[in-house]
Amino acid sequence: MSTATVQRGLAPASILQGGVVDSVQRALSQLNAKDTPIEKYIFLSQLRSTAKDTFYRLLIDNIIDICPYVYTPTVGAACQLYSNIYRKPDALYLSYQDRGHLAEIMSNWPQKDIRIAVVSDGSRILGLGDLGIGGCQISVGKLTLYVGGAGIKPEGTLPIILDMGTNNEALLNDPLYLGLKMKRVYDDEFMDEFYTATRTVFKDCLIQFEDFSSESAFKYLDRYRYKKNAVISNDGTPYGGKCFNDDIQGTGAVILAGFINAVKLASAASGRSLFDQRIVFFGAGSAGVGVAMQLVEFFTRNGFTLEEAKQKFYLVDSKGLVTDDRGDKLPEHKKALSRKAGGPQYRTLEEIVENVRPTALIGLSTVGGAFNEKVVRMMAEFKTRPIIFPLSNPSHLSECTFEDAIKWTNGKVIFASGSPFKAVTYNSKTYESNQGNNFLSFPGIGLGCILSKANEVNDDMIYESALALSESLDETESATLLYPRLHRIRDVSATIATRVAQAAAKTGVAENEKLYGMSTEQILEYIKSKQYNPSPF
Ligand SMILES: NC(=O)C1=CN([C@@H]2O[C@H](COP(=O)(O)OP(=O)(O)OC[C@H]3O[C@@H](n4cnc5c(N)ncnc54)[C@H](O)[C@@H]3O)[C@@H](O)[C@H]2O)C=CC1
Ligand SMILES: CC(=O)C(=O)O
Ligand SMILES: [Mg+2]
């Protein structure tokens, strides 16, 4: 009996005989028929779980249009509504009540050859705060982009949510909330158990930490990132390395890439150089400090001493300019870039912009609209081409919109936002926006780590990923944009992955012996040959 005969009755004949075009076009038309972003999100989630090749073909071929429905801004609403829109599990759920048994539970997961896990504890989801286990949709969304944007095989990805309770009162009082109804616990032993269990059960797995509240984000990155700091598991095996924090390092890389290109554009207009930069960071959490530290590294690798580099940075948090003598106890992550005692104690952003006259204003504050008309107009008054990056997510928390930034600067702004904004036409000229989001960097970082079998994700690898991204613009992009257009993300991710793999080899952390004798072109070709390329039906 032929295969076609066997399959008869399982689907209409046109599907059995049909090609890629049919299933993808049908899915696209169904998607377009959904009215609201959250309905589109639900539709796409179901498509991913029932017809994965169709879903990923659809995503890859329409990434600019579909990304906002699987990622920011819609994923934010999906995390908030998770317990209401829940259909079936799509992430590994590890509860605090299951401590002592995490490895056993992980071994129940049907896929065994996991290469990348994205884990969140739900404590700081985008700029939306503590969303408890709703945060699992962030892990799912990031991995969807790993598959669509880097070509990692879906079977090798694992979204994880750690349920350590929640401090979100609305969730605790919601009868539909699916997570543990208890106040959040902060427990290093539980995290150690999670980390060692993952290392034990999924030996080749890279762990990406995502959307942990700042103190935990810095603490656990520091605790697990290096092999030399290894945690000792119950059987005495040291497990360290093979992890990175996306909000600190992925964001650092993507914004460094955008900053390098922004300074080029600004310098072409004003003649100012790196030397003239003064950068205000509005928001000093994991993302703000992560990006600032990555930029500091750029300055120190380009001829500045650490002290000279630090002088260029002004961190601002909810209490104003971060200084050594402000009168409050600074958390560890703010200390490195806190301004020295004896200087001015500015409280408001207006005051800071007026007095510092920054070349660049970077928002990672979660405060929508904070870059108001007065602030943005001042930036344009002081600088020929002000660099303004409102990077908070999702869209309604962006520190300003693209349209306002263009209008208030008369088109002079060099702009990047965390969530997408459409092109704007102003005074008969159309301006294309830039999305400065770590989704341009983490897929390439992860792919490079996986294929080089890196046992650590070190600073050189992250730094090289930023340079690779900044150099990846083609001639149609580099005159006006800061980043490559999104439809090229798979190629760009392969290029980033190549540089990451080379940095891993150079620093001796790549365990894939093959890489050591290969040229750049050969590594790129090898990486591209490994990319998942879905062909439904
Ligand atoms: N574009 C991108 O790729 C990324 C964007 N983000 C976004 O960045 C934002 C911040 O993330 P985290 O740093 O992890 O959060 P966080 O909560 O650790 O930090 C927020 C910071 O903003 C400050 N802040 C809050 N209200 C303020 C106010 N009224 N005035 C001045 N400062 C204020 C806080 O003091 C804190 O320093 C989130 O919206 C997140 O979605 C985060 C990672 C990547
Ligand atoms: C993009 C991202 O990682 C965030 O907003 O947290
Ligand atoms: Mg994040």
Side-chain angles (χ1 to χ4, degrees):
M1 215 185 300
S2 72
T3 317
T5 317
V6 171
Q7 288 183 341
R8 252 181 230 159
L10 295 180
S14 56
I15 288 191
L16 294 180
Q17 290 153 15
V20 175
V21 178
D22 276 3
S23 69
V24 176
Q25 282 192 348
R26 187 172 301 103
L28 185 58
S29 116
Q30 289 171 6
L31 176 68
N32 289 338
K34 303 286 172 203
D35 289 331
T36 61
I38 199 72
E39 283 170 344
K40 289 180 198 282
Y41 184 91
I42 293 168
F43 170 76
L44 289 165
S45 298
Q46 289 180 326
L47 189 65
R48 185 177 43 225
S49 67
T50 51
K52 111 181 129 41
D53 286 349
T54 302
F55 169 78
Y56 282 113
R57 191 75 267 154
L58 179 72
L59 174 66
I60 291 167
D61 294 348
N62 301 275
I63 193 144
I64 296 177
D65 293 331
I66 292 184
C67 203
Y69 301 118
V70 293
Y71 191 56
T72 182
T74 313
V75 71
C79 291
Q80 288 176 306
L81 295 171
Y82 177 68
S83 293
N84 302 78
I85 63 173
Y86 175 86
R87 266 52 172 188
K88 66 196 269 282
D90 53 7
L92 173 61
Y93 170 81
L94 296 173
S95 149
Y96 189 64
Q97 287 180 337
D98 289 327
R99 61 194 185 279
H101 305 281
L102 298 188
E104 210 180 315
I105 293 169
M106 281 184 162
S107 356
N108 291 335
W109 191 254
Q111 271 91 39
K112 304 297 172 202
D113 189 14
I114 299 297
R115 301 303 174 93
I116 170 100
V118 175
V119 62
S120 182
D121 68 353
S123 56
R124 186 292 272 154
I125 296 300
L126 306 178
L128 302 168
D130 183 341
L131 298 183
I133 70 161
C136 69
Q137 293 303 290
I138 279 293
S139 303
V140 170
K142 295 274 173 183
L143 287 163
T144 298
L145 294 186
Y146 263 110
V147 178
I152 296 188
K153 292 187 181 60
E155 299 75 19
T157 67
L158 176 61
I160 304 178
I161 184 74
L162 303 178
D163 190 355
M164 302 164 80
T166 177
N167 292 336
N168 183 325
E169 286 298 328
L171 293 179
L172 290 172
N173 292 320
D174 179 354
L176 289 184
Y177 180 60
L178 287 160
L180 291 177
K181 295 223 171 172
M182 63 177 211
K183 286 276 178 199
R184 183 174 286 283
V185 288
Y186 298 87
D187 182 344
D188 293 350
E189 249 180 63
F190 181 72
M191 286 302 295
D192 283 354
E193 185 189 343
F194 158 73
Y195 188 83
T196 53
T198 313
R199 292 260 63 85
T200 319
V201 177
F202 304 115
K203 291 205 163 33
D204 291 326
C205 178
L206 172 71
I207 301 171
Q208 172 169 322
F209 290 102
E210 191 68 48
D211 288 9
F212 282 70
S213 52
S214 280
E215 295 224 4
S216 300
F218 283 105
K219 176 160 81 176
Y220 296 126
L221 177 62
D222 197 40
R223 194 171 175 93
Y224 304 127
R225 72 177 297 200
Y226 294 116
K227 265 189 107 174
K228 63 177 166 31
N229 290 358
V231 175
I232 308 297
S233 75
N234 289 342
D235 67 2
T237 322
Y239 292 113
K242 265 193 192 283
C243 69
F244 74 106
N245 182 294
D246 181 41
D247 298 293
I248 299 171
Q249 297 165 289
T251 317
V254 86
I255 302 310
L256 171 55
F259 177 77
I260 292 171
N261 289 336
V263 170
K264 276 189 201 150
L265 294 181
S267 306
S270 67
R272 289 176 185 275
S273 66
L274 205 53
F275 190 81
D276 304 307
Q277 295 303 313
R278 280 190 304 282
I279 309 155
V280 168
F281 275 84
F282 188 68
S286 56
V289 171
V291 173
M293 293 311 293
Q294 195 62 61
L295 263 59
V296 166
E297 190 178 341
F298 176 69
F299 281 95
T300 56
R301 289 186 186 225
N302 282 279
F304 294 79
T305 64
L306 186 58
E307 275 319 306
E308 284 167 346
K310 284 184 182 177
Q311 278 307 307
K312 304 198 164 297
F313 290 80
Y314 297 79
L315 282 191
V316 183
D317 64 12
S318 52
K319 299 191 183 105
L321 186 66
V322 178
T323 63
D324 289 346
D325 54 348
R326 194 169 71 171
D328 58 338
K329 187 173 172 333
L330 293 179
E332 227 27 67
H333 64 269
K334 291 184 190 171
K335 284 185 185 163
L337 288 176
S338 154
R339 302 215 44 108
K340 290 212 167 62
Q345 304 280 348
Y346 302 125
R347 297 286 169 208
T348 67
L349 183 60
E350 277 96 341
E351 246 185 307
I352 291 163
V353 169
E354 193 168 1
N355 290 285
V356 173
R357 298 191 166 218
T359 52
L361 177 58
I362 302 204
L364 287 156
S365 66
T366 76
V367 186
F371 297 172
N372 60 29
E373 184 167 353
K374 187 170 177 207
V375 164
V376 174
R377 284 195 187 279
M378 266 197 283
M379 291 289 295
E381 190 190 321
F382 300 148
K383 298 288 169 269
T384 317
R385 297 224 51 200
I387 298 169
I388 302 181
F389 287 2
L391 298 170
S392 289
N393 295 315
S395 311
H396 72 280
L397 299 181
S398 187
E399 285 81 359
C400 67
T401 65
F402 185 43
E403 192 174 354
D404 282 343
I406 289 286
K407 205 168 57 189
W408 295 336
T409 63
N410 207 12
K412 290 177 1 175
V413 70
I414 299 174
F415 181 95
S417 56
S419 294
F421 282 110
K422 290 203 183 325
V424 165
T425 301
Y426 176 76
N427 281 348
S428 310
K429 191 171 168 195
T430 299
Y431 298 85
E432 214 175 323
S433 184
N434 294 283
Q435 193 175 353
N437 190 296
N438 49 33
F439 78 66
L440 286 172
S441 62
F442 68 74
I445 295 172
L447 184 63
C449 290
I450 292 168
L451 292 179
S452 64
K453 299 192 196 304
N455 56 38
E456 273 183 16
V457 186
N458 58 40
D459 290 343
D460 284 5
M461 292 156 74
I462 299 290
Y463 190 75
E464 285 298 317
S465 77
L467 295 191
L469 179 60
S470 76
E471 292 162 17
S472 69
L473 282 72
D474 66 23
E475 64 284 1
T476 71
E477 295 160 343
S478 54
T480 53
L481 295 179
L482 305 179
Y483 296 109
R485 292 193 179 92
L486 193 52
H487 66 86
R488 298 200 299 115
I489 190 167
R490 276 165 67 93
D491 281 348
V492 170
S493 295
T495 306
I496 295 174
T498 303
R499 288 277 279 276
V500 169
Q502 285 178 311
K506 205 166 166 190
T507 50
V509 302
E511 290 178 0
N512 184 349
E513 295 293 331
K514 275 194 212 152
L515 282 182
Y516 286 87
M518 285 185 183
S519 66
T520 302
E521 291 71 29
Q522 284 168 330
I523 298 175
L524 182 62
E525 202 179 312
Y526 170 73
I527 287 176
K528 285 191 170 180
S529 75
K530 297 282 181 188
Q531 283 181 311
Y532 162 70
N533 200 6
S535 48
F537 258 143

